[in-house]
């Protein structure tokens, strides 16, 4: 009954017309770029399953960070690869640990760049799990103290934001209490509130050397079919003091991003994870897709779903495209 009065194509007639009525915008300001930091010097080891991503020593990291800042990307996320591991992940909360060293070096040279640190034990434990293990069980409550110590050590090194990714119950509250007690009440917590036990993490585990040595992480990371549980997790983390919440992965979980956005007003980040990145890169290398158009469409979909922030390995490419 509306045709021909209503003709939606009128507002698609030119590039400038489409710009005028565009509902969602992807911006460089939305991006966070993850880095993998390792010991030594002059190290730039390619991650074979993640084209364009490297394990970097701190001197090489600083060179890469300079390029990130020049692109206008506001923040980076640091993951550490220690020289040695033990059952309690002691390298995670060592004042001289690799992430702590990296934070100090980056903040010394780039004081205005936001430095976010991943708070977890999996890269530092010899068993590869995100908490203390006893008789093949990952113990929740004893792990909280070590996570809190890790967060405090990162803040002491100069981190701007700490990001717990372990999925232990109650860790946001434990970290908030520890930060406040040590004089870091102004340090925000960006919590991996909704983190699924996903098959999309494979390339990351190669990059970080964090694959579990037995079992899997399904007893603490979320079951992929669940949505209502995601809302409970987000609600609990916000109540415990999370300032920003993360949904991870992003591509297969845009309905979850949308549901979290609809129910909560906290800033919301989507983590565009390693497997999502590597699939797109592989298809582009084979000439099956247009990498630029596909990447921008995918990340715009995350914004449309409700994400305020996107953590992505595509960030340098996206920033260059958006800046052109």
């Amino acid at each position: 009954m509306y045709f021909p009065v209503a003709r939606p194509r009128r507002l698609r007639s030119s590039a400038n017309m489409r710009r005028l009525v565009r509902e969602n915008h992807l911006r460089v300001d939305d991006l966070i770029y993850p880095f993998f930091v390792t010991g030594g010097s002059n190290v730039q080891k390619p991650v074979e399953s993640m084209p364009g991503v490297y394990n970097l020593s701190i001197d090489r990291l600083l060179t890469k960070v300079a390029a990130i800042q020049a692109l206008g990307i506001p923040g980076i996320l640091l993951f550490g690869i220690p020289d040695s591991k033990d059952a309690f992940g002691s390298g995670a909360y060592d004042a001289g640990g690799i992430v702590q060293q990296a934070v100090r070096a980056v903040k010394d040279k780039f004081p205005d760049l936001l430095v976010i640190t991943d708070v977890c034990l999996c890269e530092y434990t010899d068993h590869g799990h995100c908490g203390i293990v006893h008789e093949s069980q990952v113990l929740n409550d004893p792990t909280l103290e070590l996570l809190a110590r890790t967060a405090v050590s990162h803040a002491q090194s100069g981190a701007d934001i700490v990001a717990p990714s372990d999925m232990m119950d109650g860790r946001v509250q434990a970290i908030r209490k520890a930060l406040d007690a040590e004089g870091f009440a102004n340090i925000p917590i960006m919590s991996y509130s909704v983190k699924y036990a996903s098959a999309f993490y494979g390339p990351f585990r190669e990059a970080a050397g964090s694959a579990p040595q037995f079992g899997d992480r399904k007893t603490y990371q979320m079951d992929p079919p669940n949505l209502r549980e995601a809302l409970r997790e987000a609600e609990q983390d916000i109540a415990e003091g999370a300032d920003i919440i993360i949904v991870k992965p992003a591509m297969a979980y845009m309905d979850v991003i949308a549901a979290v956005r609809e129910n909560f007003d906290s800033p919301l980040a989507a983590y565009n994870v390693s497997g999502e990145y590597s699939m797109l890169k592989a298809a582009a290398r084979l000439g099956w897709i247009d990498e630029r158009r596909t990447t921008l469409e995918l990340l715009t979909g995350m914004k449309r779903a409700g994400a305020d922030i996107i953590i992505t390995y595509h960030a340098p490419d996206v920033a260059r495209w958006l800046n052109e």
Side-chain angles (χ1 to χ4, degrees), residues 118-311:
D118 181 77
V119 175
C120 196
L121 302 183
C122 62
E123 296 109 298
Y124 305 90
T125 55
D126 52 15
H127 48 71
H129 279 284
C130 301
I132 296 172
V133 170
H134 178 67
E135 295 181 352
S136 299
Q137 297 294 315
V138 179
L139 304 181
N140 192 97
D141 293 7
T143 299
L144 300 183
E145 180 184 352
L146 301 186
L147 295 169
R149 288 176 62 184
T150 301
V152 168
S153 75
H154 291 176
Q156 289 170 335
S157 299
D160 297 292
I161 302 173
V162 295
S165 63
D166 55 284
M167 289 300 287
M168 298 296 114
D169 293 336
R171 89 273 205 212
V172 172
Q173 182 181 67
I175 290 170
R176 183 73 273 158
K177 286 183 176 179
L179 289 172
D180 292 356
E182 294 296 326
F184 297 106
N186 292 328
I187 298 295
I189 297 174
M190 173 187 278
S191 177
Y192 292 67
S193 300
V194 182
K195 181 178 179 180
Y196 287 89
S198 172
F200 285 99
Y201 302 151
F204 175 94
R205 290 176 182 172
E206 176 196 342
S210 62
Q213 298 304 300
F214 66 89
D216 53 41
R217 296 184 176 136
K218 293 179 180 178
T219 64
Y220 45 103
Q221 295 178 358
M222 287 179 54
D223 194 17
N226 292 359
L227 173 57
R228 293 191 301 272
E229 183 184 11
L231 302 181
R232 294 196 298 272
E233 286 279 7
E235 181 178 33
Q236 180 171 321
D237 279 11
I238 292 168
E240 291 180 13
D243 301 282
I244 303 169
I245 54 179
I246 301 174
V247 173
K248 181 183 181 182
M251 193 166 74
Y253 296 85
M254 289 200 197
D255 61 322
V256 179
I257 296 170
V260 173
R261 172 75 294 149
E262 183 178 353
N263 283 272
F264 305 103
D265 293 328
S266 297
L268 173 59
Y271 198 140
N272 176 212
V273 300
S274 60
E276 298 167 348
Y277 170 86
S278 296
M279 288 194 307
L280 196 153
K281 281 287 188 181
R285 282 190 167 189
L286 290 170
W288 292 349
I289 59 171
D290 180 319
E291 181 177 355
R292 175 173 174 161
R293 287 187 61 195
T294 306
T295 304
L296 292 175
E297 184 176 340
L298 177 63
L299 269 59
T300 300
M302 296 172 196
K303 287 296 300 290
R304 188 179 63 247
D308 303 298
I309 301 160
I310 300 175
I311 304 167

Side-chain angles (χ1 to χ4, degrees), residues 8-39:
R9 287 185 58 188
R10 291 180 185 132
L11 300 182
R12 306 173 196 151
S13 59
S14 69
N16 279 337
M17 185 70 77
R18 293 188 293 274
R19 286 175 60 203
L20 185 68
V21 298
R22 190 159 291 152
E23 298 174 19
N24 295 281
H25 297 84
L26 180 66
R27 308 171 304 159
V28 176
D29 292 348
D30 303 327
L31 305 176
I32 294 171
Y33 186 54
F35 280 109
F36 300 96
V37 192
T38 191

